[in-house]
Amino acid sequence: TLESLLARRGTLPWQRARRIAAEIGAALSAAHALGLLHRDIKPSNVFLARSDTGENAVLLDFGLVKPMDETAVSRMTQSGLVAGTPLYMSPEQARGESLDVRSDVYALAVVTYEMIAGVPPFFDKTVAEVYARLLREAAPRLSGVAPGACPEALSRVLERALSLAREERPENVTAFVQELEAVSD
């Protein structure tokens, strides 16, 4: 998995991270085209398949997938708990609000950030601290966390995709991936 690779290596060169993010993005775009939100994008749900032609990222674990037409209802489970992984969820997910594709964009941006920085934007001692920061703070700029690891333009792309306000994020995963791919080496 991407999680085990990151545990071994710590970080990835941003060009490799961009390629993996684009492949995850393609899977998400296909799910979104079918009217489905993944809702649990994280490194442990990305398998890196190796073949004679190279490496491909495969998005796994569609256990929390929800049809988009049902997302007007809160993300809370019947027991009243928010479903998902706090380190990778968007602010609106953490609040139990309705979701759209920009929540998956946010999670993909978190995974991309982690591949380059070695940690997600909000990495704290407790889940409560993660939630508190996620709901009130802008994500730390990647260029400040991992200076020299990527071009400043990539830091700006991730800053937009990790916006607290979903209206400020790219409108869909395809737009986010296009922004990533537009960053020059």
Side-chain angles (χ1 to χ4, degrees):
T1 63
L2 179 56
E3 179 182 52
S4 62
L5 177 65
L6 291 174
R8 283 192 318 275
R9 296 206 44 182
T11 62
L12 300 177
W14 82 269
Q15 296 91 340
R16 185 177 183 192
R18 176 175 55 186
R19 183 187 50 74
I20 291 170
E23 291 174 359
I24 298 167
L28 283 172
S29 291
H32 294 165
L34 294 171
L36 303 172
L37 290 177
H38 189 279
R39 304 186 324 148
D40 200 23
I41 301 150
K42 58 187 177 183
S44 63
N45 286 343
V46 177
F47 183 75
L48 299 174
R50 293 197 180 106
S51 69
D52 294 338
T53 59
E55 171 187 81
N56 293 96
V58 179
L59 185 59
L60 305 172
D61 192 356
F62 284 75
L64 293 181
V65 163
K66 190 167 192 162
M68 285 187 218
D69 59 0
E70 292 180 20
T71 59
V73 179
S74 166
R75 193 165 186 254
M76 291 188 181
T77 64
Q78 290 180 348
S79 64
L81 299 173
V82 174
T85 306
L87 291 174
Y88 304 94
M89 67 175 53
S90 66
E92 60 272 15
Q93 288 171 305
R95 288 189 296 268
E97 296 173 355
S98 64
L99 306 179
D100 62 25
V101 297
R102 292 168 295 183
S103 292
D104 280 351
V105 167
Y106 185 97
L108 179 56
V110 172
V111 170
T112 305
Y113 185 109
E114 182 177 3
M115 286 190 279
I116 299 163
V119 292
F122 300 112
F123 190 72
D124 293 285
K125 292 179 184 177
T126 68
V127 172
E129 289 174 303
V130 170
Y131 276 122
R133 292 186 63 210
L134 173 64
L135 294 173
R136 74 176 192 281
E137 295 178 24
R141 284 185 64 85
L142 180 61
S143 58
V145 174
C150 67
E152 181 59 33
L154 179 61
S155 194
R156 287 190 300 272
V157 167
L158 290 174
E159 181 177 32
R160 183 167 118 78
L162 293 169
S163 174
L164 286 166
R166 73 173 108 187
E167 305 80 36
E168 294 176 8
R169 295 181 209 139
E171 64 184 340
N172 55 47
V173 173
T174 301
F176 172 62
V177 170
Q178 288 171 343
E179 288 181 25
L180 286 177
E181 291 175 342
V183 174
S184 60
D185 296 336

